[in-house]
Amino acid sequence: MLQEEQDHDERAAGLRERVGDTPLVRLRRLTAHLPEGVEIWAKCEWFNPGGSVKDRAAAWILEAAMASGELRPGRRLLDASSGNTGIAYAWLAARLGVEVTLCLPSNANAERKRMLAAYGVELVLTDPLEGSDGAILRARELARDTDRYLYLDQYSNEANWRAHYESTGPEILAQTQGRVTHFVATLGTSGTFTGTGRFLKPHGVRLVSVQPDSPFHGLEGLKHMESAIVPAIYDPDLADLELGAPTEESLELVRRLPREEGLLAGISSGAAVWAALRVASTLEQGVIVVMLPDGGARYLSEPHVWEAP
Ligand code: PMP
């Protein structure tokens, strides 16, 4: 087959077909103290090909860019990311033969940087003190060169939340046979919460969003909305309940998940499970679904997680 025909096949096959359908796993030991009628189920997003929930958003964002004709040969993909979106763009772009430039705070952990480098991503490292907002501001500057860059802007891109409206939401409804009563998700761009929430709300599901409880939190991938650039796609009216997760208690759950549930999950998953347990403690009956955005293998070198008392 000619290279051109192969490329065409890759695009026609649909990027979205390659992501999602992740397992939903019941938490048993962490929930042993709860009434029998209260269940917590964890959606394990590291089973996506790029290892995180962000594969969904990236696939939808890139499909939309292809459909609109903005993704032209020679134009590099550009965005700001704390890492997972960058990795998602990276593997999808490699399949499409497109280059990626990523603005990333320089204190992103070594695994992230090495992984991105392995995929050939050009990294623009930004001031760690400015956090993810510093990376966003740098990406906005670079984006002015529209011949060189296609700025995907996951924080404002409607395809981000649509990915979850069209994939995560329906999966959760099907995997619980419609039994889901509460949905719990952490906020970064808010794409996961907004898209899944908009799909599940009309089915009577109560929506719980989780942010760090303070601006200086160490919960990688998450935004403290009050002190950060608020994503354009964030819908402040959607949540039925907003919870602020404390860092230490979240990290404790990151350590307990592999030992007690066999789930080596990432740091933000600790915050998500903290919130799910909090909600569960108020119920007599309920089926809570909680998003675990990525896996723990990405954070094993983080001393604040694994070398804690
Ligand atoms: N957890 C992790 C580890 C993430 O990388 C992200 C995305 N930044 C999130 C949670 C939040 O996902 P979303 O951007 O869909 O709100």
Side-chain angles (χ1 to χ4, degrees), residues 214-278:
S214 72
F216 306 104
H217 51 78
L219 299 172
E220 222 174 299
L222 302 191
K223 252 188 194 286
H224 180 253
M225 292 293 174
E226 214 177 297
S227 60
I229 298 177
V230 176
I233 60 168
Y234 178 54
D235 177 354
D237 300 325
L238 190 60
D240 295 295
L241 178 65
E242 296 178 33
L243 292 176
T247 300
E248 276 318 311
E249 288 173 53
S250 302
L251 295 179
E252 178 59 25
L253 283 162
V254 176
R255 290 187 286 272
R256 288 180 66 190
L257 276 164
R259 292 175 195 185
E260 296 180 40
E261 299 288 352
L263 298 173
L264 184 61
I267 295 176
S268 62
S269 298
V273 171
W274 174 84
L277 285 167
R278 187 68 183 266

Side-chain angles (χ1 to χ4, degrees), residues 54 82 84 164 186-192 220-222 268 293-294 299:
K54 300 306 303 203
S82 60
N84 280 335
H164 298 282
T186 50
L187 299 178
T189 64
S190 79
T192 306
E220 222 174 299
L222 302 191
S268 62
D294 66 1
Y299 304 93

Side-chain angles (χ1 to χ4, degrees), residues 162-183:
R162 285 203 173 278
H164 298 282
Y165 187 87
E166 292 172 18
S167 71
T168 319
E171 284 173 35
I172 289 171
L173 200 64
Q175 285 173 310
T176 59
Q177 286 97 36
R179 294 170 61 243
V180 55
T181 59
H182 293 74
F183 174 69

Side-chain angles (χ1 to χ4, degrees), residues 109-260:
N109 76 31
E111 287 100 323
R112 293 284 162 114
K113 288 191 221 157
R114 285 201 199 113
M115 213 181 289
L116 289 160
Y119 283 113
V121 171
E122 177 188 57
L123 292 179
V124 177
L125 298 175
T126 59
D127 186 343
L129 295 178
E130 291 176 22
S132 60
D133 284 357
I136 293 172
L137 296 173
R138 187 81 183 99
R140 285 183 186 167
E141 277 170 25
L142 293 175
R144 290 197 208 120
D145 185 349
T146 52
D147 287 334
R148 184 168 165 79
Y149 296 115
L150 169 59
Y151 181 31
L152 297 169
D153 194 1
Q154 57 164 336
Y155 292 92
S156 312
N157 197 315
E158 300 287 318
N160 178 351
W161 69 264
R162 285 203 173 278
H164 298 282
Y165 187 87
E166 292 172 18
S167 71
T168 319
E171 284 173 35
I172 289 171
L173 200 64
Q175 285 173 310
T176 59
Q177 286 97 36
R179 294 170 61 243
V180 55
T181 59
H182 293 74
F183 174 69
V184 179
T186 50
L187 299 178
T189 64
S190 79
T192 306
F193 179 75
T194 304
T196 313
R198 284 187 178 148
F199 178 84
L200 291 176
K201 196 160 195 149
H203 296 274
V205 178
R206 290 185 65 77
L207 308 178
V208 182
S209 70
V210 189
Q211 299 180 37
D213 71 353
S214 72
F216 306 104
H217 51 78
L219 299 172
E220 222 174 299
L222 302 191
K223 252 188 194 286
H224 180 253
M225 292 293 174
E226 214 177 297
S227 60
I229 298 177
V230 176
I233 60 168
Y234 178 54
D235 177 354
D237 300 325
L238 190 60
D240 295 295
L241 178 65
E242 296 178 33
L243 292 176
T247 300
E248 276 318 311
E249 288 173 53
S250 302
L251 295 179
E252 178 59 25
L253 283 162
V254 176
R255 290 187 286 272
R256 288 180 66 190
L257 276 164
R259 292 175 195 185
E260 296 180 40

